[in-house]
């Protein structure tokens, strides 16, 4: 069975229970061919579980997910279709990087040259004979990416690829994602950081507590989610507030000023002028991406920390 | 299947565990045979079966090695990488078991013939010749027993998934539980007759030594039956579980 | 004192010590119940013979004690331990104390449990604990189990890997010591100086032929002292090694 053209990953009604915990709850989404789709959600939202179900590692409690129209378990040589990096530590520490790639290659009848090619591609050729157990996180991550690229797949899955990396490593991964996208591959990459996704992804699938919150382009998500507001300061703040609220604006105190929403700065200025109110400040405030993300998923964070820092684990 | 066998072979031999297993199994069995031969009394010539006293050392090493071949995959989560590369889990388990069992058989043959050779060189008389069918069974049969033990250990390792648990079961069961069963008054000896490793031992025993209810080859068939049943259980478990 | 509490919390806040502890008691006691239910001609109803299956508990205690330290290496928590208590000798001594206490309790439960269940089922026999000879095999299990725990802990510290330590301890105690006997001439002489053989002589159950041998070099208490010496030497070697090498 072929998928509808352009839909590379299709999840419908995906649900996973672990005992009484519902990790993924009736989740449906699609990932389009040839695009980078970010899979966004707070930690514990069910991203890794979803990825494991896509790869046939965990069995959905109900629902279904297909890659290019097929269940993962029905793929004959899956590494030729889907490459994935879910956890860079899924290697035997006493096995060399080359040996790790070479058993993977053998299992999917990939030519031996593929091993050298991907080692070269991720820059691990010089340490290929070293045991993977001694690798730094950045090197392990590169080895994981090499494994994902081994079969030259058209679909790639990455779970939190930049987590824990140093800035250099993050930059490397980001560039790599762009390159994969330019090559026309479908990339599905998860993260709990919206800023990271806005740098790499074109489309977004946003989940919280296992449920779908949003699916669409990154631009739409930002426009949809961030509400602009206007900051005004004035010696006659009380009178200004009356005038603005009479015109339907929503107000909130912000220090010695007012946050006005539902109205742009031009309208606020004109209303103030008509009422002959002196303004000391009139400025536009674009809501940040992170704010929008927290606003959307705020009620759905699995382990809400007591401090303002939010979950970090 | 050949692809999968090659995959599992690479996986097994690119870690250290099979290598030290080979060294430990051969060193202990053949070394023990040497010790026995060096200390034997001139008056009582050694028989073929005396050369195989240390064969249980190799057996326990094989049990540990075979269990580790699968539990370390769970320990380091490479089982996920494996199932990602080959979603047909039954095929993976068959291939892994086959590779480990073949290695175990080879270790068994070298251990048995090595022990026999060392004994023969040190203290050999005409009694040490492999002359009868029973002699062949006692020496060449070791490989068969080791291979079936490996199948049992892979199955237990797959079911338990933890190294410590699997190794404990695989060592405490044959070395202690099967012996203690004998002590149960009344039914004990009858239960003892149907313990898998008791049957492994009976297959390798000289004909005059014990009178098993089903004969040496029956004992081997019974051991194979136990291995097949455990292997089937492991197959079901591995297909049903999340990786 | 706080160190002991820390080690106690560490041991009891994971599942495997509980599982091991439970098995260590349930397996021998359950097995003894099986034996006792039908005991007649084959097994004499003596106090020492109520302890025939206790080696099953001892084997599990070997695993428990080895895991107490190898799982710390497995999960890297040994580094946190040494970070919190930089004096490694102190840290590991505290761990050894907790392991010894826990395994002693398990040993006491096994000893009295097996005796109790045997006595309850086999009501006719005179199994009252009347003299020192009766108390030694039963209450003595606490000592044997504690020393077994310390020995296994020492091996665990030396080996650091769960699989290696568990395999070594079980193969040695259950196989090597009995196969040694098969070596002609010298086998018996070697066997009488092996640690678990010594521990068995202290308990003195008539499970094996060696129990009735009259040529043994040490008395039961002498054998216990010998077993204790070996256990403590192995433990000391482990602690000394851990103090010297990188965590």
């Amino acid at each position: 069975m072929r998928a509808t053209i352009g839909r590379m990953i299709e999840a419908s009604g995906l649900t996973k229970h672990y005992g009484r915990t519902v990790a993924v709850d009736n989740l449906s989404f699609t990932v389009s061919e040839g695009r980078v789709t970010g899979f966004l959600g707070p930690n514990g939202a069910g991203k890794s579980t979803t990825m494991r179900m896509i790869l046939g590692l965990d069995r959905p409690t109900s629902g279904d997910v297909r890659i290019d129209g097929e269940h993962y378990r029905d793929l004959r040589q899956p590494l030729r279709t889907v490459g994935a990096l879910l956890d860079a530590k899924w290697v035997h520490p006493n096995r060399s990087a080359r040996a790790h790639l070479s058993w993977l290659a053998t299992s999917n009848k990939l030519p031996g040259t593929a091993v050298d090619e991907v080692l070269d591609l991720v820059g691990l050729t010089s340490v290929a004979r070293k045991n993977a157990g001694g690798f730094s996180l950045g090197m392990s991550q590169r080895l994981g990416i090499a494994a994902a690229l081994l079969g030259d797949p058209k679909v790639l899955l990455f779970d939190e690829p930049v987590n824990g990396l140093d800035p250099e490593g993050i930059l490397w991964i980001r560039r790599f994602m762009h390159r994969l996208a330019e090559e026309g591959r479908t990339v599905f990459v998860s993260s709990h950081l919206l800023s990271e996704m806005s740098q790499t992804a074109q489309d977004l699938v946003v989940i919280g507590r296992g449920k779908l919150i949003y699916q669409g382009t990154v631009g739409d998500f930002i426009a949809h989610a961030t509400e602009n507001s206007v900051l005004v300061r004035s010696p006659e703040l009380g009178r200004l507030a009356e005038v603005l609220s009479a015109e339907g604006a929503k107000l909130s105190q912000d220090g010695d000023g007012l946050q006005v929403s539902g109205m742009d700065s031009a309208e606020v200025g004109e209303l103030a002028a008509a009422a002959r109110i002196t303004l000391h400040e009139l400025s536009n405030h674009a809501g940040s991406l992170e704010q929008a993300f927290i606003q959307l998923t705020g009620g759905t964070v699995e382990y809400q920390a007591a401090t303002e820092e939010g979950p970090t684990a | 299947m050949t692809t999968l066998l090659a995959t599992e072979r690479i996986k097994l031999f690119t870690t250290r565990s099979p290598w030290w297993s080979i060294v430990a199994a051969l060193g202990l069995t053949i070394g023990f045979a040497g010790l026995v031969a060096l200390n034997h009394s001139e008056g009582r010539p050694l028989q073929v079966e005396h050369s195989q006293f240390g064969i249980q050392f190799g057996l326990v090493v094989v049990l540990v090695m075979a269990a580790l071949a699968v539990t370390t995959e769970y320990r380091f989560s490479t089982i996920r990488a494996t199932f990602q590369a080959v979603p047909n889990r039954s095929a993976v388990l068959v291939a892994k078991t086959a590779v480990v069992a073949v290695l175990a058989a080879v270790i068994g043959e070298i251990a048995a013939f090595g022990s026999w050779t060392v004994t023969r060189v040190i203290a050999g008389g005409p009694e040490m010749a492999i002359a009868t069918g029973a002699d062949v069974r006692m020496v060449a049969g070791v490989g068969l027993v080791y291979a079936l033990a490996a199948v049992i250990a892979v199955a237990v390792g797959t079911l338990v998934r933890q190294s410590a648990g699997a190794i404990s079961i695989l060592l405490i069961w044959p070395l202690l539980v099967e012996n203690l069963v004998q002590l149960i008054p009344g039914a004990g000896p009858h239960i003892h007759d149907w313990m898998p490793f008791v049957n492994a031992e009976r297959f390798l025993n000289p004909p005059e030594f014990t009178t098993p209810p089903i004969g040496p080859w029956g004992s081997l068939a019974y051991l194979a039956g136990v291995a097949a049943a455990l292997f089937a259980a492991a197959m079901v478990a591995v297909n049903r579980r999340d990786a | 004192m706080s160190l002991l509490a820390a080690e106690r919390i560490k041991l009891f806040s994971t599942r495997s010590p509980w599982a091991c502890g439970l098995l260590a008691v349930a397996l021998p006691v359950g097995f003894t119940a099986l034996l006792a239910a039908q005991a007649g001609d084959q097994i004499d109803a003596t106090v020492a013979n109520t302890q025939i299956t206790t080696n099953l508990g001892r084997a599990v205690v070997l695993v428990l004690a080895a895991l107490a330290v190898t799982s710390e290496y497995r999960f890297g928590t040994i580094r946190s331990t040494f970070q919190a208590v930089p004096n490694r000798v102190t840290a590991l001594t505290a761990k050894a104390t907790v392991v010894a206490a826990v395994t002693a309790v398990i040993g006491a439960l096994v000893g009295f449990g097996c005796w109790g269940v045997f006595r309850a089922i086999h009501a006719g026999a005179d199994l009252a604990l009347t003299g020192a000879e009766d108390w030694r095999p039963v209450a003595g299990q606490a000592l044997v189990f504690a020393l077994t725990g310390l020995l296994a802990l020492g091996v665990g510290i030396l080996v650091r890997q769960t699989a290696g330590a568990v395999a070594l301890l079980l193969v040695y105690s259950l196989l090597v010591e009995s196969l040694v006997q098969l070596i002609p001439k010298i086998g018996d002489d070697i066997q009488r100086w092996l640690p678990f053989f010594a521990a068995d002589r202290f308990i003195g159950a008539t499970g094996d032929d060696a129990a009735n041998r009259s040529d043994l070099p040490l008395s039961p208490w002498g054998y216990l002292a010998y077993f204790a010496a070996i256990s403590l030497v192995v433990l000391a070697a482990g602690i000394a090694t851990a103090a010297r090498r990188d965590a």
Side-chain angles (χ1 to χ4, degrees), chain A residues 16 56-59 72-73 78-79 84 89-95 99 102-104 106-109, chain B residues 3 6-7 10-11 14-16 72 76-78 80-87 89 239-240 242-243:
Chain A
K16 180 69 185 178
L57 293 175
D58 285 13
R59 204 183 283 275
Y72 190 89
R73 284 202 185 196
L79 299 187
K89 287 290 167 199
W90 290 357
V91 291
H92 194 298
N94 291 334
R95 196 177 274 141
S102 114
W103 75 257
L104 279 170
T106 307
S107 69
N108 277 236
K109 290 189 184 169
Chain B
T3 321
T7 306
I10 295 173
K11 253 199 274 182
T14 51
T15 59
R16 278 179 307 196
T72 52
F76 300 115
S77 293
T78 50
R80 299 199 175 124
T82 300
F83 290 152
Q84 198 181 308
V86 187
R89 298 184 183 184
N239 277 297
R240 195 172 291 172
D242 289 335

